[in-house]
Amino acid sequence: LSQAQALCRSSRSEMCGAGASSSTHLLDLLEEPIPGVGTYDDFHTIDWVREKCKDRERHRKINSKKKESAWEFTKTLAGVIDIVADWMNDLKEGVCLSAMWFNHEQCCWDSNETTFAERDKCPQWKTWAELILGQAEGPGSYIMNYFMFTFWALSFAFLAVSLVKVFAPYACGSGIPEVITYIDQTSSSNRFYLILEFLDNVHGLSLGKEGPLVHVACCCGNIFSYLFPKYSKNEAKKREVLSAASAAGVSVAFGAPIGGVLFSLEEVSYYFPLKTLWRSFFAALVAAFVLRSINPFGNSRLVLFYVEYHTPWYLFELFPFILLGVFGGLWGAFFIRANIAWCRRRKSTRFGKYPVLEVITVAAITAIVAFPNPYTRQNTSELIKELFTDCGPLESSQLCQYRSQMNGSQAYSEGSDAAATPGVYSAMWQLSLALVFKIIMTIFTFGLKVPSGLFIPSMAIGAIAGRIVGIAVEQLAYYHHDWFLFREWCEVGADCITPGLYAMVGAAACLGGVTRMTVSLVVIVFELTGGLEYIVPLMAAVMTSKWVGDAFGREGIYEAHIRLNGYPFLDAKEEFTHTTLAREVMRPRRNDPPLAVLTQDDMTLAELQNIISQTSCNGFPVIVSKESQRLVGFALRRDITIAIENARRKQEGIMLNSRVYFTQHAPTLPADSPRPLKLRSILDMSPFTVTDHTPMEIVVDIFRKLGLRQCLVTHNGRLLGIITKKDILRHMAQMANQDPESIMFN
C-alpha cells in the first residue's frame, strides 16, 4: 500500500451502501474526539487507506519510548486438539483400561505382550465387543463393534452440529473463506467465533481439522488483539495480526512454519508488508516450538507424516508424477463444480433447512459404509501416514506383504521391489474402493454445518491414487526390468521404485487441484514429510494439477465458496477485461432516485435526521449547495448518528431546528436561532474521486490495490454519483451474464 500512503491526505473514499469514515488527522483538533466515531458496524467493508492514515497519525503522537507489542501467544490449544482428537477417534473402537485418557497407540506403549504381526493389540486395550460381550472374535463381536463405531460417530456428529447451531454458527465449514474475506476488507462481529474444532475430526465424516485450525488461530489472534490499543483501534493493524495468526495456524496444523508463512502470503492476506512477513515467521516459529514441546504425535517429531525414503527418484518417473498431477487437476475441477452444485441444491431444498438432520444422515451413511473397509474405517491422518510410509523390515501393513526372492516366503529384504503377494493386491482393491468412497463422501460432506477442513481428505484421495500407481509402476519394473525404461538404472532385485513417494506426490497434486496453491503447498508437503530431496517431483505434479484445473476454471475451492456465500471479496487473481466506464456503473442510474447528499451549512437537524431515516445509505457526500453540486467531503451515517447523540447528551440547546454545518466557522444566524451543531470533526475532507470517463479496469485496479470501499464520481468538479465495492461486484457478475442481485450476501 505504498500508493495508499501517498494518497492518505489527498484521495480516499467513503461509501453509500457499506460506509466508511474520516481520517484521524483530518478531524477538527479543537474538539474532543467523539467515542465510537471512526469505527465500523459488523460485516461492513473497511477502508484500508483510512486505517493506514490513522496508524500514521498514531505514530506521530508517540513521544515516549516505543513499546513493543506482543504478537505471539502460545499455540497450546492446537496440541490439545490433536491429542483429544486422537483419543476421541480411538474411542469409537475401544477403550484403554489402564488409563482411560490414553488412545490406542499410547495404551500399548508399555505393554510387553505385543507381537510384531499384531503390534496394535495388547491386554490393556479392549474393544467394545470384548468389554460388552466378553469375546474378541466372531459375528457377534463384529456386529457389536460395528454398532458402537456407528453410535460414537453419530454422537460426535450430533455434538458438533449442535454446538455450531447453538453457540457458533460461523464455525461451520473450514473457516478459511471467512478468514480470507475478513482479512481482505470486511469488518466482522467482535465475537469472532471459537469452538471446539477437534470434533470435526472424530465424527467419522470425510473431513479434516487442519483448515479449522487456521480459523482457531485467527480467532485467538482476534481475541488477543483487543488487549492492545494499537491493534484493537485500527482494523488494518488487526489484519496484520490475523495474517500472522493464519501462518501460525498452518504451522501447528502441519508442523510446517515456513509453509504457514507462505500460505498466509499466497492464499490469505490482502496486505502483507515486510514487517508482517518476519512477524508471521516468528509467530509460526513459536507455534511450532510449542507444538514440539507438547509432542502431540508421540513420536518426538514436529511433522505429522515424517517419512524417510532410501532411494532417489529417476528421470523416467516424472511421467507418472505428471500423470498424478493431471489426476489432481481433474479431481480438483470436478470436486469444485460438484460440491458447489450440491451446496446450491441443498440450500434450495427443505433438507438443507434442517442442518442437524442433514449432518446426522450423512454421518450415518459414512459410518455404515466406512466400517467394513479398514482403509476407510481408520483415521484419515493414520491412513495417509500408512500410504506415505516406505516398506521395510519393521512394517507390518498389508501393503508391504512382498514375497522374498530368496525363499518365497513373505519375509522382507532391504526394500519392497519384489513380487507382490495376494495381500498387496487385496489391499489395492480395498484402496480402490476407499478412493471411490472418499471422492463421493467428500463432495457431499464439505459444506455441512460442522467445522470441516479439506486439506486431509484431499491429501487422502491423492495418496490413495498415488500409492496404487506406485505399486503398479513397481511391479512393472520388477517383472519387466529388461525394458529400455528400466534397463539402465533398475537392476534385478534392486530397490528402484518407492510407492510411498508416489502417494506423497499424489497427495500434493490433489490438494493443489482443489485449492490451486503452488509455492506454499510444495513447501508444506516437504516440511510435512521431510522429503526435501523430492521437491522437483512435487513441483512438477503441483504445477501440472494447477494448469489442468485452471483449464476448467481459475477459482479454487475457497474462492468458489466465497462467491457461493456472497461475501464482498474482490479476487486479485481475477482479471477485468471489459471496456465499461465509471459512469455506466455508478449510482444513481437514469431511473434511480437522486443521490442522497448533505449541504455544508444550510440544513437543520430535523432535515438531516429525515434523510438518515428515509435512506439506507451508510455514507453521504457533503456538497457546497444543491445548485453547485461542488464536492466538499464525505460523512458516515454511523458517525453522524453518534455525533448527534453525543451533542444532545453533552450540549444544551440542540433542537430539531438547529442549524447543522460542516464548515470551519458557523454561518451567520438570527439572534433567536437555537444553538447550531458543528459536525466538521466527522467530515472526511479528501474522499477518493474519479471522473465519469475513467475506465472501469482502472477503477477495479484501484479498489484492489488501495483497499477502497467506494469512490465518488465527478464531472468537472461536480458530483455525479458513487461507486461502491458491491457495485463493482454486481457489475462483474452482470458482465459474466449472472444475476447481479443473486451473488450478494444477505
Side-chain angles (χ1 to χ4, degrees), residues 146 150 153-154 157 203 205 358-370:
Y146 203 150
T150 306
L154 293 179
H203 42 45
L205 297 173
E358 184 182 37
V359 171
I360 293 299
T361 302
V362 176
I365 295 173
T366 303
I368 292 171
V369 178

Side-chain angles (χ1 to χ4, degrees), residues 33-301:
I34 302 174
V37 169
T39 59
Y40 299 93
D41 287 324
D42 293 344
F43 307 108
H44 279 206
T45 307
I46 72 163
D47 191 333
W48 279 85
V49 178
R50 186 208 66 177
E51 297 301 322
K52 291 302 296 180
C53 293
K54 287 172 61 178
D55 188 57
R56 293 179 65 185
E57 182 66 19
R58 183 187 65 84
H59 277 286
R60 294 190 187 100
K61 295 181 179 179
I62 295 178
N63 297 320
S64 58
K65 183 178 179 181
K66 191 174 182 180
K67 297 181 180 180
E68 190 65 28
S69 299
W71 271 65
E72 322 308 332
F73 295 92
T74 305
K75 302 302 178 184
T76 307
L77 181 61
V80 173
I81 290 176
D82 280 324
I83 295 173
V84 177
D86 289 339
W87 175 77
M88 297 181 73
N89 187 77
D90 288 344
L91 188 63
K92 293 185 294 185
E93 299 183 0
V95 67
C96 185
L97 297 181
S98 59
M100 291 285 294
W101 56 89
F102 279 176
N103 61 21
H104 193 171
E105 182 181 4
Q106 295 168 341
C107 186
C108 297
W109 276 349
D110 297 332
S111 177
N112 296 323
E113 302 180 35
T114 57
T115 62
F116 176 80
E118 298 180 342
R119 63 183 69 182
D120 59 339
K121 294 184 179 181
C122 61
Q124 293 84 0
W125 179 264
K126 297 293 184 181
T127 63
W128 292 110
E130 292 177 294
L131 286 175
I132 299 174
L133 302 179
Q135 59 182 16
E137 305 293 338
S141 63
Y142 181 84
I143 294 175
M144 177 55 66
N145 288 330
Y146 203 150
F147 172 78
M148 294 302 297
F149 180 88
T150 306
F151 168 76
W152 284 111
L154 293 179
S155 300
F156 293 145
F158 177 76
L159 181 59
V161 69
S162 299
L163 287 174
V164 169
K165 183 178 180 180
V166 176
F167 296 105
Y170 283 90
C172 66
S174 72
I176 293 181
E178 287 74 19
V179 170
I180 292 174
T181 307
Y182 180 78
I183 292 180
D184 169 52
Q185 287 186 37
T186 304
S187 175
S188 82
S189 169
N190 292 336
R191 303 173 300 276
F192 204 59
Y193 298 101
L194 176 62
I195 196 171
L196 298 179
E197 302 271 9
F198 55 76
L199 287 171
D200 71 275
N201 201 40
V202 299
H203 42 45
L205 297 173
S206 183
L207 300 170
K209 64 179 182 297
E210 281 64 31
L213 274 177
V214 178
H215 198 185
V216 168
C218 289
C219 289
C220 295
N222 186 73
I223 292 171
F224 287 128
S225 66
Y226 287 99
L227 302 177
F228 305 94
K230 174 180 178 181
Y231 303 111
S232 63
K233 295 182 178 181
N234 190 292
E235 294 292 335
K237 301 298 292 182
K238 185 185 297 183
R239 277 147 181 77
E240 294 180 21
V241 175
L242 298 186
S243 296
S246 64
V250 175
S251 177
V252 298
F254 294 106
I258 301 176
V261 175
L262 294 177
F263 173 80
S264 179
L265 175 62
E266 182 178 2
E267 283 295 310
V268 175
S269 299
Y270 163 80
Y271 174 56
F272 207 83
L274 185 61
K275 59 182 178 181
T276 304
L277 176 66
W278 71 260
R279 285 169 170 171
S280 300
F281 179 77
F282 184 64
L285 171 65
V286 173
F289 174 77
V290 173
L291 187 68
R292 174 63 181 81
S293 302
I294 298 174
N295 191 23
F297 309 125
N299 55 6
S300 299
R301 297 189 184 277

Side-chain angles (χ1 to χ4, degrees), residues 504-638:
M504 182 175 71
V505 172
C510 284
L511 184 55
V514 169
T515 63
R516 307 297 163 83
M517 295 190 300
T518 52
V519 180
S520 59
L521 175 59
V522 171
V523 175
I524 287 174
V525 172
F526 82 68
E527 279 190 287
L528 188 65
T529 59
L532 181 59
E533 182 181 353
Y534 305 98
I535 190 171
V536 173
L538 290 173
M539 293 173 64
V542 169
M543 285 306 304
T544 303
S545 69
K546 177 174 173 56
W547 288 333
V548 173
D550 285 348
F552 295 91
R554 293 185 175 273
E555 279 187 339
I557 186 62
Y558 301 133
E559 291 81 6
H561 271 265
I562 288 173
R563 188 180 297 275
L564 174 68
N565 294 326
Y567 297 148
F569 176 70
L570 275 177
D571 190 1
K573 304 173 186 176
E574 187 177 353
E575 296 181 1
F576 186 89
T577 58
H578 305 287
T579 58
T580 51
L581 301 178
R583 64 184 179 187
E584 302 174 43
V585 182
M586 72 175 190
R587 289 181 295 152
R589 297 185 175 90
R590 287 186 178 180
N591 299 324
D592 292 345
L595 185 66
V597 296
L598 309 178
T599 55
Q600 66 175 358
D601 58 6
D602 61 353
M603 293 183 66
T604 63
L605 181 57
E607 293 173 338
L608 176 58
Q609 290 182 328
N610 187 49
I611 292 177
I612 293 177
S613 63
Q614 293 181 356
T615 62
S616 59
C617 298
N618 286 343
F620 303 94
V622 179
I623 57 177
V624 175
S625 64
K626 293 193 175 180
E627 292 76 20
S628 68
Q629 292 289 319
R630 298 291 178 181
L631 183 64
V632 176
F634 196 92
L636 276 180
R637 178 196 194 97
R638 176 185 175 90

Side-chain angles (χ1 to χ4, degrees), residues 103 126 153 219 354 380 479 485-486 505 555 709:
N103 61 21
K126 297 293 184 181
C219 289
Y354 303 97
T380 310
Y479 287 107
L485 294 174
F486 310 108
V505 172
E555 279 187 339
R709 304 179 69 189

